[in-house]
Amino acid sequence: MNTAPYPAEPILVIDDEEAILLSIDTILQLSGMNNVRTCSDSRQVLAIIEQRLPGVILLDLNMPHLDGEALLDQITGRYPHVPVIIITGRIDAETAVECMKSGAFDYIVKPVEENRLLASVKKSLQYSELHQENLLLKEQLRQGSLKIPEAFAEIITTSPKILLLFGYRESVAPTFQPVPIRGETGTGKELIARAIHRLSGSPGEFVAVNVAGLDDNVFSDTLFGHVRGAFTGADTDRSGLIERAAGGTLFLDEIGDLSASSQIKLLRLLQEKEYMPLGSDADRTSSARIIASTHVDLWELQQKEQFRQDLHYRLRTHRIILPPLRERREDIGLLVEHFAECAAQALKKNMPKIPRELIAMLEAYHFPAISANRRPWSLTLSPSTRAGSSPSPSFAATSR
């Protein structure tokens, strides 16, 4: 079973009461947050933070030696972008206001209510990850270069639009937040998803599934699996793709075609990181990152009430829109050469010579969006390339 740490940066819990530390640690661990550090001595806090900067800090106010208010001032002074959640037995509004003025991100009163704690921590983690992403993106724009260019080796392009998106993808990859990718058929959505997975450094697998046309039962069984006896013919337990993608990435292709009932289940997975196999009464925790693709505009589907607003909100932390080929014609020549070389290798022929006229014709073509029922253009070989002919064929572009 994959035990990849989540979140990537630790959650630091500071309280002088060991029982409180154990309670909070247990709540976080059971919710899937296994990267938690605890500290009962406020004098050691700054040394712990210097050793490894946490993503979120939970801080008690009433502690011996160095009280929480003094510690809060030091933390926010040195590390202003690390969210600090105050946890204390005081219930007066004045204390809360003073803590927020000192830079606290949130304020929770003891005894800690589980749902309130988890909601605050998740919100803080999202803030921390977005801040880190902004820093990385600014650095990418400043340097104007990629740190790991080999992650995009499968994508053939010289387009400034695509190259600019590479920097953005490199910055969002480590955040582990969902990423929706929109683009017309053939723009390379899965290639981008695989690049994001490689850049994330996740130890788990990249698992892809096309969800278009799946009914609710098939969707649930495919993603979440089932237990023995869940339905007729379920003789053994079966793990779903979510479990296979643990610690990695689950790529959901054509998510805009997902049924309404399946959207509800996906929402719970994104919101709570929990799912339930068919026939099971126990929730399981997912550590897989979700990347989704669509050829349609989810905003438009949302306005037509064909896509849930809350699911769209959860998905669109980061958004990538891939330009179609007609908006990056400078790539046409490269792509023609690439596919011609692939065809030559597959047919065990010499690489054909590409006429300049062909590239000019293709660059002048308007490349309409491909519908489900027709192909707007195709590339065909001239009669001279049939069996037994010269290994250096010419090309002709035809429209349909």
Side-chain angles (χ1 to χ4, degrees), residues 80-100:
H81 299 299
V82 177
V84 180
I85 303 171
I86 297 298
I87 301 180
T88 181
R90 301 182 191 177
I91 59 174
D92 58 287
E94 184 180 348
T95 302
V97 171
E98 288 301 318
C99 289
M100 301 305 281

Side-chain angles (χ1 to χ4, degrees), residues 125-137 165 167-182 192 196 289-294 298-299 311-321:
L125 285 173
Q126 186 177 33
Y127 168 85
S128 183
E129 290 173 348
L130 288 175
H131 171 70
Q132 184 63 25
E133 174 203 327
N134 288 335
L135 291 180
L136 290 172
L137 186 55
L165 285 175
Y168 177 67
R169 294 163 200 157
E170 199 171 57
S171 67
V172 304
T175 65
F176 216 72
Q177 293 294 324
V179 180
I181 304 172
R182 178 160 68 91
I192 295 300
I196 293 174
R289 181 192 198 159
I290 302 296
I291 299 180
S293 77
T294 176
L298 295 182
W299 283 104
L311 176 56
H312 189 197
Y313 171 78
R314 292 291 175 185
L315 280 171
R316 67 175 188 258
T317 305
H318 308 296
R319 285 176 292 173
I320 293 175
I321 300 178

Side-chain angles (χ1 to χ4, degrees), residues 17-228:
E17 298 182 53
E18 294 290 347
I20 298 293
L21 290 177
L22 178 60
S23 174
I24 294 176
D25 184 37
T26 302
I27 291 173
L28 296 175
Q29 295 280 353
L30 290 176
S31 71
M33 302 180 199
N34 58 9
N35 193 3
V36 182
R37 297 191 66 180
T38 60
C39 176
S40 58
D41 188 340
S42 58
R43 295 170 295 184
Q44 300 175 3
V45 170
L46 294 177
I48 292 174
I49 294 175
E50 289 176 1
Q51 182 181 17
R52 177 71 183 274
L53 191 66
V56 177
I57 297 174
L58 285 78
L59 175 65
D60 181 32
L61 281 187
N62 300 318
M63 294 184 293
H65 310 302
L66 185 63
D67 67 47
E69 292 185 41
L71 196 53
L72 175 63
D73 288 336
Q74 294 187 44
I75 293 173
T76 55
R78 298 186 189 185
Y79 312 100
H81 299 299
V82 177
V84 180
I85 303 171
I86 297 298
I87 301 180
T88 181
R90 301 182 191 177
I91 59 174
D92 58 287
E94 184 180 348
T95 302
V97 171
E98 288 301 318
C99 289
M100 301 305 281
K101 284 182 177 179
S102 298
F105 186 84
D106 203 355
Y107 186 94
I108 299 177
V109 178
K110 295 179 183 179
V112 176
E113 197 273 320
E114 181 176 341
N115 291 335
R116 174 76 175 87
L117 172 68
L118 292 176
S120 182
V121 170
K122 288 176 181 178
K123 186 176 180 181
S124 301
L125 285 173
Q126 186 177 33
Y127 168 85
S128 183
E129 290 173 348
L130 288 175
H131 171 70
Q132 184 63 25
E133 174 203 327
N134 288 335
L135 291 180
L136 290 172
L137 186 55
K138 287 178 181 178
E139 183 65 17
Q140 291 284 357
L141 294 174
R142 185 183 67 82
Q143 293 183 350
S145 60
L146 298 172
K147 292 182 179 179
I148 312 177
E150 58 271 20
F152 304 97
E154 294 181 347
I155 303 171
I156 300 171
T157 186
T158 58
S159 168
K161 292 182 179 180
I162 299 294
L163 295 175
L164 183 62
L165 285 175
F166 282 177
Y168 177 67
R169 294 163 200 157
E170 199 171 57
S171 67
V172 304
T175 65
F176 216 72
Q177 293 294 324
V179 180
I181 304 172
R182 178 160 68 91
E184 295 177 9
T185 300
T187 50
K189 297 185 288 294
E190 184 169 341
L191 291 177
I192 295 300
R194 289 183 180 276
I196 293 174
H197 171 72
R198 286 192 291 268
L199 289 166
S200 70
S202 301
E205 289 185 51
F206 177 91
V207 180
V209 57
N210 190 319
V211 299
L214 297 184
D215 64 35
D216 185 51
N217 288 331
V218 175
F219 173 82
S220 298
D221 191 31
T222 301
L223 261 66
F224 309 139
H226 63 254
V227 297
R228 181 180 179 183

Side-chain angles (χ1 to χ4, degrees), residues 244-257:
R244 181 179 162 193
T249 301
L250 180 65
F251 175 61
L252 303 178
D253 195 13
E254 297 302 347
I255 197 172
D257 297 331

